[in-house]
Amino acid sequence: MNQSPQSMRVCEGSLFSDLDRETADALLNAATYRQIAEGMTLFHQGDAPSQLFQVVTGLVKLSRVSTDGSQTTLRFMGPGELVGCVAVFQQFPFPATAIASKPCSLLCWGASQILDLIHRYPPVASNALKTVGGRAREMIERVTDLSAKGVEARLAGVLLRLASQVGRNSPDGVEITHPVTRNDMAEMTGVTYFTVSRVLSAWQRQQIVRLGRERVIVIEPHRLAQIAD
Amino acid sequence: MNQSPQSMRVCEGSLFSDLDRETADALLNAATYRQIAEGMTLFHQGDAPSQLFQVVTGLVKLSRVSTDGSQTTLRFMGPGELVGCVAVFQQFPFPATAIASKPCSLLCWGASQILDLIHRYPPVASNALKTVGGRAREMIERVTDLSAKGVEARLAGVLLRLASQVGRNSPDGVEITHPVTRNDMAEMTGVTYFTVSRVLSAWQRQQIVRLGRERVIVIEPHRLAQIAD
DNA sequence: CGTGCTCTTTGCGCTTGCGCAAACAAGTCC
DNA sequence: GGACTTGTTTGCGCAAGCGCAAAGAGCACG
């Protein structure tokens, strides 16, 4: 694990926030660095939580199948984000499946190692707590959105979230591309991809977005924000 | 704070799990004990997280209003449960409002004290992490239910959850009563209370439940479980 | 004991979003 | 280039659940 100290700064809001040199080193030394090809799965829903991951580069999709077999995409996880934290810290089977949507490089910790580190370094525990808390808050937000907001508002929210997380700037606006399909948006919004397509088409007619295959360009984010309410 | 050691044993799966005598005492000594009348609010959504609560007796309702003004009931919190943990541990404004649905007795900690305790006693941090993780898991579950399952399945789940949490045994089955109204069930399920009433009426016709004002008696839990899928 | 309040039920019309089928792109692999 | 795969769009009919209105049922209070 020979990674420069600066690289820790990338990991804002994660396990590495505000650590002294020694603690950060202990954390880094306990990790292994791994490359993963697109399409490989990090873990399956229901697996024992044996490893914790931090995305360094690439993109991981977290999805979940409910008892009746239908898929839900919980979210995408990009650089700096901790994949599997809820399960590992709680020693509970993974509630979702994690698949690399793009080739990824990851930091990996064994469950027992990371629990030990947490126990030994209070600042790490504090960071873990904040990360898990953030996840909880995010899900609370989604629960209220799902039960209170209409489809358009939810989809607008998903689009904005995706734009800020996996979007790239393009001349016309922020571009959401490749691994994210209409289907993903549908699963994140809790509707069918037919509905997503229809709503997006309507927005294209209003010049709010521009569409293409595996491509949505957000032209007027503020109008989306307004729709998301 | 003169509470007998046994009383800690009640608080299974909470901050007090598996603590040695000294740590548990420190935790208890830092807390104040408070009584609250029915209808009083512990905190409002958006408030700075200045206090953490543990319900000792009574029942607290956690609800949230979304941007468009509609209410969502996140859950009820009964004896042993930590109210406000996500916000306090993360030092983020309360994402919901907490109101006493029944007269309550509570243990209260100031935010800074509890954060200090967490920092000083790793086992407490570990418990906090588990509690928040549990909340996150619960919300993940609800997100997938909301986006994948139909209304009946969701309502069946809510009913079972309520039965096990606030239900009392009665000759005919488990009885969900007083502070819980159809409206609450509706907000927990993400539907209107009209729909709740209609579905419950249908179930009553099938002898799955018996209904009354502010009262649902679950006669056949296994059939609900089956509907909940 | 009636009045008022809150919670609940039910009927009816209607909107929203789903389900399916079919057609249409845009790559990709021989 | 042609066949195939995968993702997307669109039309049409349908069903689930909403919204409103109106009425019923407990319960509390004077």
Side-chain angles (χ1 to χ4, degrees):
Chain A
M1 285 300 73
N2 38 12
Q3 207 141 346
S4 67
Q6 296 91 291
S7 74
M8 302 170 205
R9 201 135 293 145
V10 187
C11 315
E12 197 59 63
S14 78
L15 280 188
F16 291 93
S17 305
D18 303 321
L19 297 187
D20 59 58
R21 182 64 184 258
E22 183 211 334
T23 312
D25 282 353
L27 208 50
L28 264 181
N29 287 332
T32 61
Y33 187 72
R34 207 170 1 137
Q35 306 271 124
I36 288 211
E38 183 175 330
M40 300 308 294
T41 91
L42 310 196
F43 52 77
H44 284 100
Q45 177 176 341
D47 283 356
S50 54
Q51 277 196 302
L52 176 70
F53 304 87
Q54 174 166 344
V55 180
V56 178
T57 64
L59 196 67
V60 172
K61 178 163 104 171
L62 263 187
S63 62
R64 186 178 148 89
V65 307
S66 72
T67 46
D68 70 338
S70 59
Q71 287 261 338
T72 304
T73 297
L74 287 178
R75 55 171 299 177
F76 286 90
M77 315 274 293
E81 297 191 287
L82 280 185
V83 181
C85 59
V86 173
V88 170
F89 294 151
Q90 244 221 336
Q91 297 177 266
F92 197 91
F94 288 116
T97 298
I99 297 180
S101 284
K102 290 187 196 172
C104 287
S105 54
L106 306 164
L107 287 175
C108 315
W109 291 270
S112 52
Q113 296 164 59
I114 198 73
L115 287 171
D116 183 56
L117 285 164
I118 281 178
H119 199 267
R120 217 159 34 199
Y121 299 99
V124 176
S126 170
N127 284 339
L129 197 50
K130 283 189 187 146
T131 307
V132 176
R135 201 65 47 86
R137 281 210 346 264
E138 202 182 300
M139 290 297 135
I140 288 175
E141 191 89 24
R142 283 187 66 178
V143 166
T144 52
D145 284 1
L146 277 167
S147 40
K149 292 186 180 176
V151 168
E152 297 215 340
R154 265 151 43 211
L155 182 55
V158 165
L159 227 52
L160 289 173
R161 192 143 39 89
L162 283 172
S164 75
Q165 193 184 20
V166 305
R168 269 178 327 200
N169 288 326
S170 88
D172 297 325
V174 183
E175 202 177 1
I176 302 166
T177 49
H178 174 47
V180 183
T181 68
R182 299 295 126 100
N183 205 352
D184 291 322
M185 297 176 192
E187 288 177 1
M188 294 177 81
T189 315
V191 295
T192 61
Y193 59 92
F194 302 108
T195 302
V196 169
S197 179
R198 283 185 260 258
V199 174
L200 287 181
S201 295
W203 286 347
Q204 186 173 35
R205 264 173 254 128
Q206 298 167 52
Q207 314 279 341
I208 301 175
V209 298
R210 179 159 311 150
L211 304 176
R213 181 195 170 88
E214 287 186 322
R215 172 183 314 268
V216 175
I217 304 174
V218 177
I219 302 174
E220 309 240 12
H222 61 281
R223 296 195 49 195
L224 283 184
Q226 190 180 317
I227 292 170
D229 209 11
Chain B
M1 284 299 71
N2 38 12
Q3 206 142 348
S4 68
Q6 296 92 289
S7 76
M8 304 172 206
R9 200 136 293 145
V10 186
C11 316
E12 197 59 63
S14 78
L15 280 188
F16 290 93
S17 306
D18 302 321
L19 296 187
D20 58 57
R21 181 64 185 258
E22 183 211 335
T23 312
D25 282 352
L27 208 49
L28 263 182
N29 287 332
T32 62
Y33 187 72
R34 209 172 354 139
Q35 306 272 122
I36 287 211
E38 182 175 334
M40 300 308 295
T41 90
L42 309 197
F43 51 79
H44 284 101
Q45 176 176 342
D47 283 356
S50 54
Q51 276 197 302
L52 176 69
F53 304 87
Q54 174 166 343
V55 180
V56 178
T57 64
L59 196 67
V60 173
K61 178 162 104 171
L62 263 187
S63 63
R64 186 178 147 90
V65 307
S66 72
T67 46
D68 70 338
S70 59
Q71 287 260 338
T72 304
T73 297
L74 287 177
R75 56 172 298 175
F76 287 89
M77 315 275 293
E81 297 191 287
L82 281 185
V83 181
C85 61
V86 172
V88 170
F89 295 151
Q90 243 221 337
Q91 298 177 265
F92 197 91
F94 287 116
T97 297
I99 296 179
S101 282
K102 290 188 198 171
C104 288
S105 55
L106 307 164
L107 286 175
C108 316
W109 291 270
S112 52
Q113 299 164 56
I114 198 73
L115 289 171
D116 183 56
L117 285 164
I118 282 178
H119 198 266
R120 217 158 37 198
Y121 300 99
V124 176
S126 171
N127 284 339
L129 198 49
K130 282 188 187 145
T131 306
V132 176
R135 202 65 47 87
R137 280 208 347 262
E138 201 183 300
M139 290 298 136
I140 288 174
E141 192 88 23
R142 284 187 65 179
V143 165
T144 52
D145 284 1
L146 277 167
S147 41
K149 292 186 179 173
V151 168
E152 297 215 342
R154 268 158 31 217
L155 183 55
V158 165
L159 227 53
L160 289 173
R161 192 142 40 88
L162 283 173
S164 74
Q165 194 185 20
V166 305
R168 269 179 328 201
N169 288 327
S170 89
D172 297 325
V174 184
E175 201 178 2
I176 302 165
T177 49
H178 172 47
V180 184
T181 68
R182 299 294 127 98
N183 205 352
D184 290 322
M185 298 178 190
E187 287 177 2
M188 294 176 81
T189 316
V191 296
T192 61
Y193 59 90
F194 301 108
T195 303
V196 169
S197 178
R198 282 185 260 260
V199 173
L200 287 180
S201 294
W203 286 346
Q204 185 173 34
R205 262 172 256 130
Q206 299 166 51
Q207 313 278 342
I208 301 174
V209 298
R210 179 160 312 150
L211 303 177
R213 179 194 170 87
E214 286 186 322
R215 171 183 314 269
V216 175
I217 304 172
V218 177
I219 303 174
E220 308 240 13
H222 61 282
R223 296 194 51 194
L224 282 185
Q226 188 179 319
I227 293 171
D229 212 9

